[in-house]
Amino acid sequence: MIIELQPNSFSPEQTTIWSFPDRGKWATHSGRYRGNWSPYVPRNLILRYSKPGDWILDQFLGSGTTLVEAKLLNRNAVGIDINPQSISLSETNLNFKCETQSKIFVRKGDATDLSFIKDDKIDFICTHPPYSNIIKYSTDINGDLSLLDEDAFFKAINKVAKEAYRVLKKGKYCAVMIGDKRYRGNIVPLGFTLMQKYLDVGFKLKEIIIKEQHNCKSTTKWIGVKRNFLMLAHEYIFIFYK
Ligand SMILES: C[S@@+](CC[C@H](N)C(=O)[O-])C[C@H]1O[C@@H](n2cnc3c(N)ncnc32)[C@H](O)[C@@H]1O
């Protein structure tokens, strides 16, 4: 049973540094899907970069957090994910009643090929790809970006960015969240590399937001006196526009 459909207290972020130590549990949100984003992230982005009745796209649907927020905030939305388990979980999470008139669609698909969407149709893209292969979302799904090493991952991200640019209306925004990783002691700057891929296909850059990361389980092994590494505790949210 859903107790609260909206957050208790919400005030929109006003700076380029965001932090949500309490990740947010209203509506059907929970932290159970590995690597899902706090609903405060899409809530802030949707409120700032879209208006009621707009069409929102999430190319990497996951557990449906973005679409739940779109539904609560009276936006229409399309979400796709390559993993059928993500589609059925999102359908479950979207199965609640609220008073908005939103049209919400989820479908299995590949973010590198949005041919089911015509050019210049989307008002806002709000999405959160895998961070290369840090968390693997499947073992063998063809096209799953979370199975790819950096070279193959960024070839695919180039296609994702091209498709995002094609389907977005001119003058509208595209928000993408991603974090960096360490490999053999070095930082692999997934964030800035992704940013450059989006700029290369024609997007302009409106903002770089630093989001503090909480409960960084997969990076705790890197801290400690002997190795002298800092724990990665931030992600980037890039706001592009067409
Ligand atoms: C970081 S998760 C998204 C989490 C989401 N923001 C949430 O709150 O639940 C990334 C998702 O991308 C999906 N994915 C991986 N490759 C994909 C592709 N080529 N096309 C669409 N989705 C893909 C994965 O299955 C995973 O669900």
Side-chain angles (χ1 to χ4, degrees):
M1 193 179 74
I2 296 177
I3 297 165
E4 287 166 341
L5 273 183
Q6 304 286 345
N8 271 334
S9 62
F10 174 80
S11 42
E13 295 300 309
Q14 303 293 347
T15 77
T16 54
I17 300 183
W18 295 7
S19 180
F20 308 109
D22 157 27
R23 73 182 318 280
K25 274 194 172 157
W26 64 93
T28 52
H29 295 306
S30 81
R32 282 198 292 274
Y33 191 75
R34 187 131 185 251
N36 66 353
W37 58 7
S38 155
Y40 284 111
V41 176
R43 174 157 291 239
N44 270 283
L45 295 169
I46 288 170
L47 287 171
R48 186 171 288 276
Y49 298 110
S50 72
K51 54 184 192 313
D54 274 358
W55 277 96
I56 294 177
L57 169 69
D58 187 348
Q59 283 162 285
F60 299 96
L61 179 64
S63 56
T65 314
T66 309
L67 267 57
V68 169
E69 284 303 296
K71 179 169 169 172
L72 292 171
L73 296 169
N74 201 16
R75 272 70 168 171
N76 304 310
V78 184
I80 67 163
D81 200 288
I82 201 133
N83 192 329
Q85 283 178 356
S86 147
I87 301 301
S88 58
L89 176 59
S90 297
E91 283 169 344
T92 304
N93 288 341
L94 285 158
N95 186 17
F96 63 89
K97 284 202 169 55
C98 70
E99 280 174 10
T100 61
Q101 304 300 313
S102 308
K103 299 183 199 80
I104 304 285
F105 298 99
V106 300
R107 59 182 275 162
K108 186 171 122 30
D110 188 334
T112 64
D113 175 10
L114 303 177
S115 45
F116 70 99
I117 305 177
K118 293 194 181 125
D119 299 359
D120 308 308
K121 287 287 171 215
I122 298 294
D123 297 290
F124 179 45
I125 297 174
C126 186
T127 203
H128 181 203
Y131 301 178
S132 185
N133 48 12
I134 297 184
I135 295 176
K136 293 185 174 48
Y137 286 94
S138 72
T139 50
D140 58 357
I141 294 178
N142 193 19
D144 181 347
L145 267 60
S146 72
L147 303 178
L148 305 179
D149 64 16
E150 276 85 73
D151 281 356
F153 177 76
F154 282 114
K155 276 191 188 127
I157 286 293
N158 173 258
K159 291 186 190 161
V160 171
K162 275 188 184 154
E163 281 295 75
Y165 193 83
R166 181 183 67 74
V167 300
L168 193 66
K169 292 179 185 167
K170 195 162 168 42
K172 302 282 183 165
Y173 294 95
C174 167
V176 187
M177 185 166 101
I178 189 166
D180 295 328
K181 72 171 200 176
R182 270 189 210 280
Y183 183 66
R184 298 194 172 155
N186 297 323
I187 292 286
V188 182
L190 299 177
F192 292 147
T193 310
L194 176 140
M195 181 189 79
Q196 193 57 52
K197 295 286 175 205
Y198 274 72
L199 299 180
D200 289 347
V201 303
F203 279 108
K204 302 277 183 260
L205 188 59
K206 168 93 174 170
E207 310 283 2
I208 299 177
I209 297 160
I210 304 295
K211 191 201 138 275
E212 189 179 357
Q213 204 174 4
H214 299 275
N215 310 317
C216 320
K217 278 191 206 126
S218 49
T219 48
T220 47
K221 66 178 176 181
W222 292 107
I223 54 175
V225 178
K226 210 168 167 194
R227 287 173 152 158
N228 195 18
F229 291 129
L230 297 173
M231 185 172 72
L232 286 174
H234 69 282
E235 293 152 298
Y236 304 96
I237 304 170
F238 298 107
I239 313 294
F240 304 103
Y241 70 96
K242 176 170 168 181

